[in-house]
């Protein structure tokens, strides 16, 4: 996984130094609808939270760009258990590196890998006889997945995104639990 991330970073840096026609930097923020996917997740509910960070759009041609981002992404899930509720909060520094393919003026489709580094891991349980709080419940420190989405850019620099991040790795050992995050964003290219 680390090798794939390193190869992606080298490819992006190589493309920017050799073929980049246009590089734009920006900032974005938005809402996350985070959940977990896997076996035994029928009674799991999404956690609504946020993301914020920086973005670069590196134009390679008129229809193709590479778009790396550096984001703080608040994720997690809620689960009803024994008449109570367990809430997990998983906060990541996420780095998606996306291919950005224009399909019409202003509108592009995006896809690519994403790596996330866990910076906060919290579990709360309350109700139904459950009372507990833990600052760590054993989530893995690295998450890896793929992002699919769309972006619409206005001529004034404002942009809008809709995406889904499919987690590929289990977030805890020996459990079929993987992150899944739908996100809506608004941002501005300077």
């Amino acid at each position: 996984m680390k090798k794939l991330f390193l190869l992606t970073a080298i490819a992006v840096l190589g493309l920017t130094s050799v073929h980049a026609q246009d590089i734009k930097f920006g900032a974005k923020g938005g809402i996350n609808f985070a959940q977990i996917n896997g076996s035994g997740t029928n009674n799991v509910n999404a956690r609504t939270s946020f993301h914020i960070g920086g973005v670069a759009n590196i134009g390679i041609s008129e229809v193709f760009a590479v778009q790396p981002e550096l984001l703080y992404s608040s994720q997690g899930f809620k689960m009803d258990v024994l008449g109570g509720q367990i809430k997990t909060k998983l906060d990541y520094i996420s780095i998606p590196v996306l291919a950005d393919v224009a399909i019409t003026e202003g509108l592009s489709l995006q896809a690519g890998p994403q790596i996330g580094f866990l910076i906060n891991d919290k579990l709360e349980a309350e109700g139904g006889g459950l009372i507990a709080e833990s600052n760590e419940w054993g989530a893995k420190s690295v998450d890896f997945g793929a992002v699919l989405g769309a972006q619409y850019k206005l001529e004034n620099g404002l942009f809008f995104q809709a995406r889904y991040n499919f987690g590929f790795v289990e977030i805890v050992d020996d459990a079929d639990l993987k992150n899944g995050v739908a996100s809506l964003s608004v941002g501005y290219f300077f």
Side-chain angles (χ1 to χ4, degrees), residues 51-135:
H51 62 272
I52 189 167
V55 57
N57 188 277
I58 304 161
I60 307 301
S61 71
E62 291 293 320
V63 296
F64 182 76
V66 175
Q67 188 162 305
E69 300 178 358
L70 179 63
L71 307 171
Y72 173 87
S73 182
S74 184
Q75 298 172 198
F77 59 92
K78 300 175 193 174
M79 184 179 345
D80 297 324
V81 177
L82 302 172
Q85 189 172 69
I86 295 174
K87 299 177 185 176
T88 62
K89 298 177 181 178
L90 302 171
D91 298 332
Y92 292 90
I93 297 297
S94 296
I95 305 170
V97 179
L98 306 175
D100 182 79
V101 180
I103 57 173
T104 187
E105 185 68 33
L107 182 63
S108 60
L109 298 179
Q110 299 181 319
Q114 175 175 291
I115 189 166
F117 300 98
L118 186 69
I119 58 170
N120 186 30
D121 172 4
K122 190 172 182 180
L123 175 115
E124 297 174 355
E126 55 187 44
L130 300 171
I131 300 175
E133 185 171 325
S134 171
N135 286 334

Side-chain angles (χ1 to χ4, degrees), residues 136-187:
E136 217 173 275
W137 66 279
K140 291 182 180 178
S141 59
V142 177
D143 186 38
F144 187 72
V147 176
L148 295 174
Q151 176 172 272
Y152 187 75
K153 293 186 282 189
L154 299 175
E155 289 184 21
N156 66 2
L158 194 64
F159 65 90
F160 305 91
Q161 298 171 336
R163 293 188 180 158
Y164 192 82
N165 172 24
F166 300 88
F168 288 159
V169 297
E170 295 174 346
I171 59 173
V172 292
D173 287 327
D174 302 322
D176 182 24
L177 304 174
K178 298 173 184 162
N179 280 315
V181 184
S183 62
L184 299 173
S185 310
V186 63

Side-chain angles (χ1 to χ4, degrees), residues 5-18:
F5 176 69
L6 182 61
L7 289 173
T8 304
I10 290 170
V12 169
L13 292 174
L15 289 172
T16 59
S17 64
V18 176

